[in-house]
Amino acid sequence: MSLPEPLAAEAVAGRRWPRANAVGLGCAVPEAVVENAAIAAATGVDEAWIERRTGIRSRRHAPPGMTLLELAAASARATLEDAGLDAEELDLVVIATASQERRLPNLAPELASVIGAVNAGAFDLGAACSGFVTAVAIAGAFVEAGRARNVLVVGADTLSRHLDPSDRRTAAIFGDGAGAVILSAGESGGLSETELGADGGCAELITCDGECDVIHMEGPETFKVAVGTMEQAVRSLGARAGLDPLRDIDLFVFHQANARITRALAERLELPQEKVVDCIAEFGNTSAASVPLALEHARADGRLLDGSRVLLCAVGAGFMSASALLDWGPS
């Protein structure tokens, strides 16, 4: 992908690097709603147990005829409309997913093609549930370095197709969906800090091997590692930015893994409820789509406003973590 001419000229002239601003947001979920009653019948537990353990009341499952590409494209088109951009203006398309249907070809080039992003490079990113925030960090670096002016970041997963319906550790948790943002070059605001982490020593907590293609998860240990990892990430990011998380950050958007994880994290950080987004009851854990879906939820209820200082944080199988701090909206 070549450097856009105006950005190249600015770099040569010695001007400061642009900031990566979030200028568009859009999401898409399947229409089919799966209530707890259906999960309870297959797993041998009652509906109240599921909600008490996970905070989830329902989730969306993609029907057999729906592809991951369709979901991703729907969220991408909604984001372009929200940003007021044409697909031809995109320089790069990044999709974070752990559930593409085929090993090859990768999904991102197909996504760029179906939405009409004819001038964009494209690649897939595999970082499980932390994929979207990881992709935001990478896309932001492209913009800040002057290598791209407009980058589409999509998080999309259909993990319902990789579940054992009788496994109560996973069957009730995962749902399907897609969400996207566009990061564009601006004069101020936008991304200010990002941080990525990995601990391969915890890789066996969440697995999905190629032979059976079904997710296995060690629930209690995953809970402890997820809470501890995200707490450390939030404190580290705040320290790097010179901010007090409680005083200086308007909104915390954590990966929607489990309501108990979100509550425990908020308690450790002493965050007020109104600053923490929680939409897992309706959608479940949508993996790479969970953070953009949570952003959309916060925008709908009036908490995500232009100028809001937002902290994104997610963890995923691997064990990987990603966090980002940004002032929301165009500069």
Side-chain angles (χ1 to χ4, degrees), residues 236-273:
S236 175
L237 205 66
R240 287 176 56 182
L243 301 175
D244 178 280
L246 181 59
R247 184 186 65 242
D248 299 324
I249 296 173
D250 300 310
L251 195 64
F252 294 82
V253 184
F254 301 126
H255 167 48
Q256 305 291 295
N258 182 306
R260 291 169 59 236
I261 290 176
T262 304
R263 284 197 299 269
L265 186 56
E267 288 171 6
R268 288 195 184 188
L269 294 166
E270 300 180 323
L271 304 176
Q273 184 177 355

mmCIF file of all heavy atoms in Angstrom, residues 236-273:
data_model
loop_
_atom_site.group_PDB
_atom_site.id
_atom_site.type_symbol
_atom_site.label_atom_id
_atom_site.label_comp_id
_atom_site.label_asym_id
_atom_site.label_seq_id
_atom_site.Cartn_x
_atom_site.Cartn_y
_atom_site.Cartn_z
ATOM 1 N N SER A 236 -2.023 0.332 34.004
ATOM 2 C CA SER A 236 -0.820 0.623 33.236
ATOM 3 C C SER A 236 -1.073 1.716 32.205
ATOM 4 O O SER A 236 -0.273 2.650 32.052
ATOM 5 C CB SER A 236 -0.333 -0.649 32.543
ATOM 6 O OG SER A 236 0.761 -0.395 31.689
ATOM 7 N N LEU A 237 -2.206 1.605 31.504
ATOM 8 C CA LEU A 237 -2.522 2.600 30.480
ATOM 9 C C LEU A 237 -2.743 3.974 31.112
ATOM 10 O O LEU A 237 -2.289 4.994 30.583
ATOM 11 C CB LEU A 237 -3.763 2.161 29.701
ATOM 12 C CG LEU A 237 -3.908 2.716 28.286
ATOM 13 C CD1 LEU A 237 -2.803 2.191 27.374
ATOM 14 C CD2 LEU A 237 -5.265 2.362 27.703
ATOM 15 N N GLY A 238 -3.441 3.989 32.253
ATOM 16 C CA GLY A 238 -3.656 5.255 32.934
ATOM 17 C C GLY A 238 -2.350 5.893 33.370
ATOM 18 O O GLY A 238 -2.155 7.112 33.239
ATOM 19 N N ALA A 239 -1.435 5.071 33.883
ATOM 20 C CA ALA A 239 -0.144 5.594 34.329
ATOM 21 C C ALA A 239 0.662 6.158 33.165
ATOM 22 O O ALA A 239 1.291 7.227 33.281
ATOM 23 C CB ALA A 239 0.642 4.488 35.036
ATOM 24 N N ARG A 240 0.653 5.455 32.043
ATOM 25 C CA ARG A 240 1.393 5.931 30.869
ATOM 26 C C ARG A 240 0.841 7.249 30.362
ATOM 27 O O ARG A 240 1.584 8.102 29.862
ATOM 28 C CB ARG A 240 1.350 4.880 29.759
ATOM 29 C CG ARG A 240 2.226 3.677 30.024
ATOM 30 C CD ARG A 240 2.077 2.630 28.949
ATOM 31 N NE ARG A 240 2.342 3.158 27.619
ATOM 32 C CZ ARG A 240 2.234 2.458 26.495
ATOM 33 N NH1 ARG A 240 1.856 1.187 26.558
ATOM 34 N NH2 ARG A 240 2.502 2.987 25.335
ATOM 35 N N ALA A 241 -0.486 7.402 30.463
ATOM 36 C CA ALA A 241 -1.122 8.630 29.974
ATOM 37 C C ALA A 241 -1.117 9.733 31.017
ATOM 38 O O ALA A 241 -1.514 10.871 30.730
ATOM 39 C CB ALA A 241 -2.558 8.332 29.562
ATOM 40 N N GLY A 242 -0.687 9.409 32.254
ATOM 41 C CA GLY A 242 -0.690 10.391 33.329
ATOM 42 C C GLY A 242 -2.087 10.744 33.793
ATOM 43 O O GLY A 242 -2.355 11.883 34.198
ATOM 44 N N LEU A 243 -2.995 9.750 33.747
ATOM 45 C CA LEU A 243 -4.394 9.979 34.092
ATOM 46 C C LEU A 243 -4.804 9.127 35.284
ATOM 47 O O LEU A 243 -4.291 8.017 35.473
ATOM 48 C CB LEU A 243 -5.306 9.639 32.911
ATOM 49 C CG LEU A 243 -5.078 10.407 31.609
ATOM 50 C CD1 LEU A 243 -5.996 9.861 30.518
ATOM 51 C CD2 LEU A 243 -5.337 11.890 31.809
ATOM 52 N N ASP A 244 -5.739 9.626 36.048
ATOM 53 C CA ASP A 244 -6.367 8.841 37.102
ATOM 54 C C ASP A 244 -7.625 8.206 36.500
ATOM 55 O O ASP A 244 -8.533 8.941 36.085
ATOM 56 C CB ASP A 244 -6.751 9.737 38.270
ATOM 57 C CG ASP A 244 -7.450 8.968 39.373
ATOM 58 O OD1 ASP A 244 -8.664 8.707 39.250
ATOM 59 O OD2 ASP A 244 -6.784 8.599 40.357
ATOM 60 N N PRO A 245 -7.688 6.864 36.422
ATOM 61 C CA PRO A 245 -8.835 6.227 35.756
ATOM 62 C C PRO A 245 -10.181 6.682 36.298
ATOM 63 O O PRO A 245 -11.123 6.909 35.523
ATOM 64 C CB PRO A 245 -8.601 4.735 36.011
ATOM 65 C CG PRO A 245 -7.120 4.612 36.147
ATOM 66 C CD PRO A 245 -6.692 5.866 36.848
ATOM 67 N N LEU A 246 -10.294 6.826 37.609
ATOM 68 C CA LEU A 246 -11.577 7.199 38.200
ATOM 69 C C LEU A 246 -11.962 8.636 37.867
ATOM 70 O O LEU A 246 -13.113 8.930 37.554
ATOM 71 C CB LEU A 246 -11.518 7.008 39.722
ATOM 72 C CG LEU A 246 -12.798 7.325 40.508
ATOM 73 C CD1 LEU A 246 -13.949 6.452 40.030
ATOM 74 C CD2 LEU A 246 -12.565 7.121 41.993
ATOM 75 N N ARG A 247 -10.991 9.541 37.890
ATOM 76 C CA ARG A 247 -11.280 10.965 37.731
ATOM 77 C C ARG A 247 -11.263 11.424 36.275
ATOM 78 O O ARG A 247 -12.090 12.259 35.862
ATOM 79 C CB ARG A 247 -10.258 11.785 38.528
ATOM 80 C CG ARG A 247 -10.511 13.293 38.533
ATOM 81 C CD ARG A 247 -9.384 14.060 39.208
ATOM 82 N NE ARG A 247 -8.133 13.944 38.458
ATOM 83 C CZ ARG A 247 -7.034 13.396 38.947
ATOM 84 N NH1 ARG A 247 -7.029 12.879 40.165
ATOM 85 N NH2 ARG A 247 -5.933 13.338 38.220
ATOM 86 N N ASP A 248 -10.351 10.883 35.467
ATOM 87 C CA ASP A 248 -10.063 11.473 34.159
ATOM 88 C C ASP A 248 -10.666 10.731 32.966
ATOM 89 O O ASP A 248 -10.536 11.197 31.836
ATOM 90 C CB ASP A 248 -8.543 11.556 33.957
ATOM 91 C CG ASP A 248 -7.868 12.422 35.006
ATOM 92 O OD1 ASP A 248 -8.475 13.428 35.407
ATOM 93 O OD2 ASP A 248 -6.748 12.091 35.430
ATOM 94 N N ILE A 249 -11.277 9.576 33.182
ATOM 95 C CA ILE A 249 -11.823 8.806 32.073
ATOM 96 C C ILE A 249 -13.340 8.766 32.186
ATOM 97 O O ILE A 249 -13.891 8.487 33.255
ATOM 98 C CB ILE A 249 -11.227 7.382 32.050
ATOM 99 C CG1 ILE A 249 -9.716 7.471 31.794
ATOM 100 C CG2 ILE A 249 -11.897 6.517 30.978
ATOM 101 C CD1 ILE A 249 -8.979 6.164 31.917
ATOM 102 N N ASP A 250 -14.018 9.073 31.079
ATOM 103 C CA ASP A 250 -15.481 9.190 31.088
ATOM 104 C C ASP A 250 -16.196 7.855 30.951
ATOM 105 O O ASP A 250 -17.288 7.674 31.496
ATOM 106 C CB ASP A 250 -15.938 10.110 29.947
ATOM 107 C CG ASP A 250 -15.354 11.505 30.058
ATOM 108 O OD1 ASP A 250 -15.460 12.095 31.149
ATOM 109 O OD2 ASP A 250 -14.786 11.989 29.059
ATOM 110 N N LEU A 251 -15.593 6.930 30.200
ATOM 111 C CA LEU A 251 -16.301 5.693 29.884
ATOM 112 C C LEU A 251 -15.322 4.539 29.743
ATOM 113 O O LEU A 251 -14.276 4.680 29.104
ATOM 114 C CB LEU A 251 -17.070 5.865 28.558
ATOM 115 C CG LEU A 251 -18.151 4.840 28.227
ATOM 116 C CD1 LEU A 251 -19.292 4.892 29.238
ATOM 117 C CD2 LEU A 251 -18.688 5.077 26.823
ATOM 118 N N PHE A 252 -15.667 3.408 30.365
ATOM 119 C CA PHE A 252 -14.859 2.198 30.275
ATOM 120 C C PHE A 252 -15.635 1.152 29.476
ATOM 121 O O PHE A 252 -16.748 0.762 29.860
ATOM 122 C CB PHE A 252 -14.546 1.653 31.679
ATOM 123 C CG PHE A 252 -13.665 2.554 32.487
ATOM 124 C CD1 PHE A 252 -14.198 3.643 33.172
ATOM 125 C CD2 PHE A 252 -12.293 2.332 32.549
ATOM 126 C CE1 PHE A 252 -13.382 4.480 33.911
ATOM 127 C CE2 PHE A 252 -11.474 3.166 33.291
ATOM 128 C CZ PHE A 252 -12.023 4.243 33.972
ATOM 129 N N VAL A 253 -15.038 0.716 28.372
ATOM 130 C CA VAL A 253 -15.684 -0.276 27.508
ATOM 131 C C VAL A 253 -14.819 -1.527 27.527
ATOM 132 O O VAL A 253 -13.808 -1.617 26.832
ATOM 133 C CB VAL A 253 -15.862 0.258 26.075
ATOM 134 C CG1 VAL A 253 -16.613 -0.752 25.222
ATOM 135 C CG2 VAL A 253 -16.618 1.582 26.095
ATOM 136 N N PHE A 254 -15.230 -2.481 28.368
ATOM 137 C CA PHE A 254 -14.500 -3.734 28.507
ATOM 138 C C PHE A 254 -15.096 -4.799 27.597
ATOM 139 O O PHE A 254 -16.281 -4.751 27.248
ATOM 140 C CB PHE A 254 -14.557 -4.229 29.958
ATOM 141 C CG PHE A 254 -13.977 -3.274 30.958
ATOM 142 C CD1 PHE A 254 -14.716 -2.860 32.057
ATOM 143 C CD2 PHE A 254 -12.694 -2.773 30.805
ATOM 144 C CE1 PHE A 254 -14.188 -1.988 32.985
ATOM 145 C CE2 PHE A 254 -12.149 -1.889 31.730
ATOM 146 C CZ PHE A 254 -12.896 -1.495 32.825
ATOM 147 N N HIS A 255 -14.264 -5.770 27.232
ATOM 148 C CA HIS A 255 -14.767 -6.943 26.516
ATOM 149 C C HIS A 255 -15.909 -7.558 27.310
ATOM 150 O O HIS A 255 -15.789 -7.803 28.515
ATOM 151 C CB HIS A 255 -13.641 -7.955 26.322
ATOM 152 C CG HIS A 255 -14.103 -9.306 25.880
ATOM 153 N ND1 HIS A 255 -14.992 -9.494 24.842
ATOM 154 C CD2 HIS A 255 -13.815 -10.550 26.356
ATOM 155 C CE1 HIS A 255 -15.218 -10.784 24.684
ATOM 156 N NE2 HIS A 255 -14.521 -11.442 25.600
ATOM 157 N N GLN A 256 -17.021 -7.806 26.632
ATOM 158 C CA GLN A 256 -18.209 -8.350 27.287
ATOM 159 C C GLN A 256 -18.095 -9.877 27.362
ATOM 160 O O GLN A 256 -18.718 -10.620 26.613
ATOM 161 C CB GLN A 256 -19.459 -7.935 26.522
ATOM 162 C CG GLN A 256 -19.589 -6.430 26.319
ATOM 163 C CD GLN A 256 -19.864 -5.676 27.610
ATOM 164 O OE1 GLN A 256 -20.906 -5.846 28.232
ATOM 165 N NE2 GLN A 256 -18.914 -4.843 28.024
ATOM 166 N N ALA A 257 -17.283 -10.347 28.294
ATOM 167 C CA ALA A 257 -17.018 -11.779 28.422
ATOM 168 C C ALA A 257 -18.004 -12.456 29.356
ATOM 169 O O ALA A 257 -18.477 -13.565 29.101
ATOM 170 C CB ALA A 257 -15.593 -11.999 28.933
ATOM 171 N N ASN A 258 -18.301 -11.776 30.465
ATOM 172 C CA ASN A 258 -19.131 -12.339 31.513
ATOM 173 C C ASN A 258 -19.446 -11.185 32.459
ATOM 174 O O ASN A 258 -18.553 -10.411 32.818
ATOM 175 C CB ASN A 258 -18.357 -13.453 32.238
ATOM 176 C CG ASN A 258 -19.137 -14.141 33.329
ATOM 177 O OD1 ASN A 258 -19.666 -13.506 34.232
ATOM 178 N ND2 ASN A 258 -19.190 -15.458 33.258
ATOM 179 N N ALA A 259 -20.713 -11.060 32.872
ATOM 180 C CA ALA A 259 -21.087 -9.933 33.723
ATOM 181 C C ALA A 259 -20.343 -9.959 35.050
ATOM 182 O O ALA A 259 -20.034 -8.909 35.616
ATOM 183 C CB ALA A 259 -22.591 -9.942 33.965
ATOM 184 N N ARG A 260 -20.014 -11.136 35.539
ATOM 185 C CA ARG A 260 -19.285 -11.243 36.801
ATOM 186 C C ARG A 260 -17.859 -10.704 36.651
ATOM 187 O O ARG A 260 -17.308 -10.092 37.576
ATOM 188 C CB ARG A 260 -19.267 -12.688 37.287
ATOM 189 C CG ARG A 260 -20.634 -13.185 37.732
ATOM 190 C CD ARG A 260 -20.665 -14.680 37.949
ATOM 191 N NE ARG A 260 -19.706 -15.101 38.956
ATOM 192 C CZ ARG A 260 -18.758 -16.012 38.763
ATOM 193 N NH1 ARG A 260 -18.627 -16.590 37.577
ATOM 194 N NH2 ARG A 260 -17.950 -16.363 39.742
ATOM 195 N N ILE A 261 -17.257 -10.920 35.488
ATOM 196 C CA ILE A 261 -15.924 -10.361 35.225
ATOM 197 C C ILE A 261 -15.988 -8.838 35.205
ATOM 198 O O ILE A 261 -15.153 -8.153 35.817
ATOM 199 C CB ILE A 261 -15.359 -10.902 33.895
ATOM 200 C CG1 ILE A 261 -14.998 -12.388 34.031
ATOM 201 C CG2 ILE A 261 -14.151 -10.088 33.441
ATOM 202 C CD1 ILE A 261 -14.523 -13.032 32.743
ATOM 203 N N THR A 262 -16.974 -8.283 34.515
ATOM 204 C CA THR A 262 -17.114 -6.824 34.435
ATOM 205 C C THR A 262 -17.347 -6.222 35.813
ATOM 206 O O THR A 262 -16.752 -5.194 36.170
ATOM 207 C CB THR A 262 -18.262 -6.444 33.481
ATOM 208 O OG1 THR A 262 -18.027 -7.026 32.198
ATOM 209 C CG2 THR A 262 -18.381 -4.937 33.334
ATOM 210 N N ARG A 263 -18.206 -6.855 36.617
ATOM 211 C CA ARG A 263 -18.481 -6.337 37.960
ATOM 212 C C ARG A 263 -17.229 -6.399 38.846
ATOM 213 O O ARG A 263 -16.916 -5.447 39.568
ATOM 214 C CB ARG A 263 -19.623 -7.121 38.610
ATOM 215 C CG ARG A 263 -21.000 -6.778 38.088
ATOM 216 C CD ARG A 263 -22.079 -7.278 39.037
ATOM 217 N NE ARG A 263 -22.048 -8.728 39.188
ATOM 218 C CZ ARG A 263 -22.737 -9.573 38.434
ATOM 219 N NH1 ARG A 263 -23.512 -9.098 37.445
ATOM 220 N NH2 ARG A 263 -22.678 -10.870 38.646
ATOM 221 N N ALA A 264 -16.532 -7.531 38.796
ATOM 222 C CA ALA A 264 -15.328 -7.679 39.614
ATOM 223 C C ALA A 264 -14.275 -6.652 39.224
ATOM 224 O O ALA A 264 -13.598 -6.070 40.090
ATOM 225 C CB ALA A 264 -14.776 -9.097 39.469
ATOM 226 N N LEU A 265 -14.136 -6.400 37.939
ATOM 227 C CA LEU A 265 -13.156 -5.424 37.456
ATOM 228 C C LEU A 265 -13.527 -4.013 37.917
ATOM 229 O O LEU A 265 -12.666 -3.251 38.381
ATOM 230 C CB LEU A 265 -13.092 -5.501 35.928
ATOM 231 C CG LEU A 265 -12.044 -4.669 35.207
ATOM 232 C CD1 LEU A 265 -10.647 -4.977 35.720
ATOM 233 C CD2 LEU A 265 -12.131 -4.944 33.705
ATOM 234 N N ALA A 266 -14.809 -3.672 37.801
ATOM 235 C CA ALA A 266 -15.264 -2.350 38.235
ATOM 236 C C ALA A 266 -15.051 -2.162 39.735
ATOM 237 O O ALA A 266 -14.658 -1.074 40.192
ATOM 238 C CB ALA A 266 -16.731 -2.157 37.876
ATOM 239 N N GLU A 267 -15.277 -3.215 40.515
ATOM 240 C CA GLU A 267 -15.080 -3.131 41.963
ATOM 241 C C GLU A 267 -13.610 -2.932 42.311
ATOM 242 O O GLU A 267 -13.262 -2.115 43.176
ATOM 243 C CB GLU A 267 -15.618 -4.393 42.632
ATOM 244 C CG GLU A 267 -17.143 -4.472 42.637
ATOM 245 C CD GLU A 267 -17.652 -5.817 43.105
ATOM 246 O OE1 GLU A 267 -16.815 -6.659 43.535
ATOM 247 O OE2 GLU A 267 -18.873 -6.053 43.042
ATOM 248 N N ARG A 268 -12.716 -3.675 41.648
ATOM 249 C CA ARG A 268 -11.288 -3.526 41.935
ATOM 250 C C ARG A 268 -10.783 -2.132 41.600
ATOM 251 O O ARG A 268 -9.919 -1.589 42.291
ATOM 252 C CB ARG A 268 -10.496 -4.562 41.143
ATOM 253 C CG ARG A 268 -10.645 -5.991 41.631
ATOM 254 C CD ARG A 268 -9.559 -6.846 41.012
ATOM 255 N NE ARG A 268 -9.699 -8.251 41.354
ATOM 256 C CZ ARG A 268 -8.781 -9.172 41.058
ATOM 257 N NH1 ARG A 268 -7.668 -8.823 40.416
ATOM 258 N NH2 ARG A 268 -8.965 -10.428 41.396
ATOM 259 N N LEU A 269 -11.326 -1.565 40.520
ATOM 260 C CA LEU A 269 -10.885 -0.238 40.085
ATOM 261 C C LEU A 269 -11.700 0.876 40.738
ATOM 262 O O LEU A 269 -11.427 2.057 40.494
ATOM 263 C CB LEU A 269 -10.990 -0.135 38.557
ATOM 264 C CG LEU A 269 -10.052 -1.037 37.763
ATOM 265 C CD1 LEU A 269 -10.471 -1.097 36.297
ATOM 266 C CD2 LEU A 269 -8.606 -0.559 37.874
ATOM 267 N N GLU A 270 -12.711 0.494 41.521
ATOM 268 C CA GLU A 270 -13.587 1.436 42.221
ATOM 269 C C GLU A 270 -14.262 2.392 41.243
ATOM 270 O O GLU A 270 -14.325 3.615 41.460
ATOM 271 C CB GLU A 270 -12.807 2.203 43.295
ATOM 272 C CG GLU A 270 -12.202 1.302 44.359
ATOM 273 C CD GLU A 270 -11.437 2.064 45.426
ATOM 274 O OE1 GLU A 270 -10.771 3.075 45.082
ATOM 275 O OE2 GLU A 270 -11.524 1.672 46.593
ATOM 276 N N LEU A 271 -14.815 1.822 40.155
ATOM 277 C CA LEU A 271 -15.458 2.621 39.123
ATOM 278 C C LEU A 271 -16.953 2.729 39.391
ATOM 279 O O LEU A 271 -17.603 1.732 39.731
ATOM 280 C CB LEU A 271 -15.237 1.994 37.744
ATOM 281 C CG LEU A 271 -13.797 1.757 37.310
ATOM 282 C CD1 LEU A 271 -13.760 1.046 35.970
ATOM 283 C CD2 LEU A 271 -13.040 3.076 37.241
ATOM 284 N N PRO A 272 -17.542 3.902 39.192
ATOM 285 C CA PRO A 272 -18.996 4.030 39.321
ATOM 286 C C PRO A 272 -19.701 3.295 38.172
ATOM 287 O O PRO A 272 -19.194 3.248 37.050
ATOM 288 C CB PRO A 272 -19.242 5.534 39.240
ATOM 289 C CG PRO A 272 -18.041 6.093 38.552
ATOM 290 C CD PRO A 272 -16.899 5.201 38.900
ATOM 291 N N GLN A 273 -20.859 2.735 38.466
ATOM 292 C CA GLN A 273 -21.581 1.922 37.492
ATOM 293 C C GLN A 273 -21.860 2.661 36.199
ATOM 294 O O GLN A 273 -21.801 2.089 35.109
ATOM 295 C CB GLN A 273 -22.897 1.443 38.113
ATOM 296 C CG GLN A 273 -23.695 0.505 37.225
ATOM 297 C CD GLN A 273 -24.961 0.012 37.919
ATOM 298 O OE1 GLN A 273 -25.201 0.294 39.087
ATOM 299 N NE2 GLN A 273 -25.769 -0.727 37.188
#
